[in-house]
């Protein structure tokens, strides 16, 4: 089954403790991206990657890092999480040859206390 | 800049039609999308429309696009309780990015 898999689904952590949210896709998509969803703000793009070893900032990159060492994986790294990073995070992947937009993961609900 | 606006809430009765509206800003968007988010789930692509189209129909869903006014709407015919969800419209100023609206929460009552 074609899908984007994020882990974990839920995470509670403390301020300053480094964490990584993993994202993997099995569709050989060249494009991957991270979004965060906050009430009243919709989804905002954090980082995106157009291909392996190519990453770029989205609209709200502060406090986040990403890497794209392999085509299928695009982890999101919070080096020193803060409470304002409490949010619902979505990973997405897509391909230029498909008009059907992007495939989204099921989300990771992160709480930073 | 990029800004996609939607009303926050819509309540309808089962069997009625629902119309969710969206205004967008980027006239260069090639495609415009509608996504559905059910509680605890990710975003599911509902439908999309190419920017040179005025209308697209897909079973109970009808998308209308007014490029002059940069207005997009999603009509759901014969709305069911299973349609209760948050609906997001999104524009594509470039392939690398979807710009989402704030989402419209649709509540369908029996």
């Amino acid at each position: 089954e074609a899908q984007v898999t994020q882990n974990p689904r839920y995470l509670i952590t403390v301020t300053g403790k480094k964490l990584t949210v993993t994202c993997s896709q099995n569709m050989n998509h060249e494009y991957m991206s991270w979004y965060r969803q906050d009430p009243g703000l919709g989804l905002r793009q954090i980082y995106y990657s157009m291909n392996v070893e190519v990453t770029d900032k989205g609209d709200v990159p502060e406090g986040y890092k990403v890497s794209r060492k392999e085509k299928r994986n695009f982890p999101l790294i919070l080096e020193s999480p803060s409470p304002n990073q409490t949010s619902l995070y979505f990973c997405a992947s897509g391909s230029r040859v498909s008009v059907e937009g992007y495939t989204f993961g099921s989300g990771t609900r992160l709480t930073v206390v | 800049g990029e800004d996609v606006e939607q009303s926050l809430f819509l309540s309808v009765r089962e069997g009625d039609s629902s119309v969710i509206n969206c205004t967008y800003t980027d006239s260069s968007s090639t495609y415009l999308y509608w996504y559905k988010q059910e509680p605890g789930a990710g975003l599911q692509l509902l439908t999309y429309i190419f920017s040179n189209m005025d209308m697209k129909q897909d079973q109970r869903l009808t998308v209308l696009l007014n490029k002059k006014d940069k207005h997009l709407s999603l009509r759901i015919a014969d709305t069911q309780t299973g349609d209760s969800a948050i609906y997001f419209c999104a524009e594509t100023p470039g392939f690398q990015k979807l710009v989402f609206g704030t989402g419209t929460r649709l509540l369908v009552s029996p």
Side-chain angles (χ1 to χ4, degrees):
Chain A
E1 182 190 350
Q3 60 185 359
V4 176
T5 304
Q6 293 178 230
N7 279 297
R9 288 293 310 274
Y10 301 92
L11 180 60
I12 301 174
T13 190
V14 296
T15 299
K17 185 176 181 183
K18 181 179 178 179
L19 66 92
T20 299
V21 184
T22 63
C23 174
S24 180
Q25 51 97 1
N26 62 1
M27 295 163 281
N28 201 36
H29 285 164
E30 68 271 18
Y31 168 88
M32 296 186 76
S33 184
W34 278 101
Y35 290 83
R36 61 178 287 174
Q37 181 182 4
D38 301 290
L41 295 176
L43 282 85
R44 295 175 293 168
Q45 190 182 52
I46 302 170
Y47 268 95
Y48 66 93
S49 169
M50 298 301 289
N51 217 322
V52 176
E53 302 291 1
V54 180
T55 62
D56 212 341
K57 296 178 180 178
D59 294 318
V60 288
E62 294 77 22
Y64 304 95
K65 283 174 57 177
V66 292
S67 69
R68 188 91 183 273
K69 294 190 174 72
E70 308 161 283
K71 199 170 188 179
R72 63 184 290 123
N73 295 323
F74 191 47
L76 179 69
I77 303 154
L78 285 72
E79 295 270 3
S80 182
S82 61
N84 65 10
Q85 293 178 297
T86 292
S87 187
L88 179 58
Y89 291 87
F90 289 102
C91 181
S93 73
S95 173
R96 285 186 180 276
V97 302
S98 169
V99 300
E100 294 190 348
Y102 314 111
T103 302
F104 282 81
S106 298
T108 296
R109 186 166 292 280
L110 172 65
T111 302
V112 184
V113 298
Chain B
E2 303 149 350
D3 193 13
V4 180
E5 295 187 355
Q6 299 178 238
S7 54
L8 288 179
F9 190 75
L10 177 65
S11 179
V12 301
R13 288 200 171 273
E14 195 171 24
D16 289 348
S17 291
S18 307
V19 179
I20 301 171
N21 294 302
C22 169
T23 56
Y24 63 97
T25 55
D26 195 313
S27 57
S28 67
S29 290
T30 306
Y31 293 96
L32 294 143
Y33 296 92
W34 284 102
Y35 283 87
K36 176 182 180 183
Q37 184 181 33
E38 296 184 74
L43 278 79
Q44 169 198 353
L45 178 66
L46 265 186
T47 187
Y48 61 91
I49 188 166
F50 190 47
S51 58
N52 69 354
M53 297 170 67
D54 298 322
M55 185 182 88
K56 179 180 179 181
Q57 187 146 3
D58 184 359
Q59 299 182 335
R60 291 191 298 122
L61 305 178
T62 303
V63 179
L64 295 178
L65 175 60
N66 181 329
K67 284 195 73 175
K68 176 174 165 290
D69 295 336
K70 296 181 185 168
H71 184 265
L72 183 72
S73 69
L74 174 70
R75 179 177 180 269
I76 305 173
D78 187 26
T79 313
Q80 304 297 307
T81 54
D83 294 322
S84 292
I86 302 176
Y87 291 81
F88 291 94
C89 65
E91 62 177 354
T92 52
F95 177 77
Q96 74 280 6
K97 185 174 184 175
L98 280 170
V99 178
F100 287 88
T102 51
T104 299
R105 184 178 294 274
L106 174 64
L107 178 64
V108 183
S109 53

